[in-house]
Amino acid sequence: MLKYHIMNEEEKKIICDWKYEKEYEIYNLESYEAMKEKKSGLANPAHVNNFYSFYDDQQLVGFANILEEEKEVFIGLGVNPLYCNQGYGTEILHYVSKIAKSLYKEKPLYLEVRSWNKRAIRCYEKAGFVIDGNCFEQVSGIGKGEFYRMVKEI
C-alpha cells in the first residue's frame, strides 16, 4: 500500500535528479534550480498543490501532477527509474483516480503519452485509461512528438 502527500521542496529536488536511460532519457528533468528560475514544472508556484509524492515504505517511487481544467482533469505521472516496470505506475494511478474524484467530483481524467512509449501505454491501460482518437503531433516542454490522448471516466 502506497502512501502519498503533497510534494515538498526536498522531493522536488530528488525527482529532478532522477535519470532515465536510453529512449527514456527524454523524460530527464532539468535541475530544480533552473525550474525555480523559470517558475516552471515542479517549481511553478501556481501549481504547488497539484504535485503528489508516492512512497512504498520509505522509498520515493513516483509522483503525480493532478491539474483541474474546465471540463476535465489532466494527469501527469513519473515513476522513479529504479522502480519502472514493477507496477508502481498503475498503483499510483489508482490513488490518483481517488484523489481526483474527491477533489473534482465527476470530471473525467486525461493524460497524453508519446506514441512510442508502449511501456507507459500498457501501464495506463491497466489503470483503466483508453486511447481517445488518433495520434497527434504537439510540442511539449521536452520537444516535439507524436502523442496519444488517453481518458478515464471516474
Side-chain angles (χ1 to χ4, degrees), residues 84-153:
C84 288
N85 283 325
Q86 297 180 29
Y88 286 112
T90 303
E91 192 172 354
I92 289 168
L93 285 169
H94 169 75
Y95 287 99
V96 165
S97 293
K98 286 183 174 184
I99 294 166
K101 185 171 185 163
S102 72
L103 294 174
Y104 308 117
K105 307 299 178 232
E106 303 301 320
K107 285 187 176 182
L109 307 179
Y110 83 97
L111 52 81
E112 294 169 344
V113 58
R114 289 181 181 271
S115 61
W116 59 261
N117 194 343
K118 304 300 183 208
R119 178 173 80 182
I121 292 168
R122 280 192 308 274
C123 167
Y124 303 150
E125 288 174 337
K126 285 181 188 174
F129 285 81
V130 295
I131 292 175
D132 180 28
N134 295 321
C135 191
F136 62 94
E137 188 174 288
Q138 78 173 3
V139 177
S140 74
I142 56 176
K144 189 192 306 190
E146 297 279 327
F147 289 81
Y148 286 116
R149 173 185 160 88
M150 298 184 75
V151 297
K152 179 179 181 181
E153 298 295 325

Side-chain angles (χ1 to χ4, degrees), residues 20-72:
Y20 298 93
E21 296 183 352
K22 300 181 182 171
E23 67 266 28
Y24 300 102
E25 286 180 351
I26 194 168
Y27 298 112
N28 291 341
L29 299 174
E30 64 184 338
S31 73
Y32 186 58
E33 291 71 30
M35 285 187 189
K36 283 176 74 171
E37 280 182 30
K38 297 178 192 174
K39 295 184 166 117
S40 67
L42 297 174
N44 184 334
H47 301 293
V48 68
N49 291 319
N50 296 86
F51 291 98
Y52 292 79
S53 298
F54 289 83
Y55 283 82
D56 187 351
D57 195 25
Q58 301 296 311
Q59 228 20 74
L60 177 60
V61 296
F63 72 93
N65 176 14
I66 305 172
L67 179 62
E68 182 184 27
E69 295 179 351
E70 187 178 334
K71 295 183 179 182
E72 53 195 356

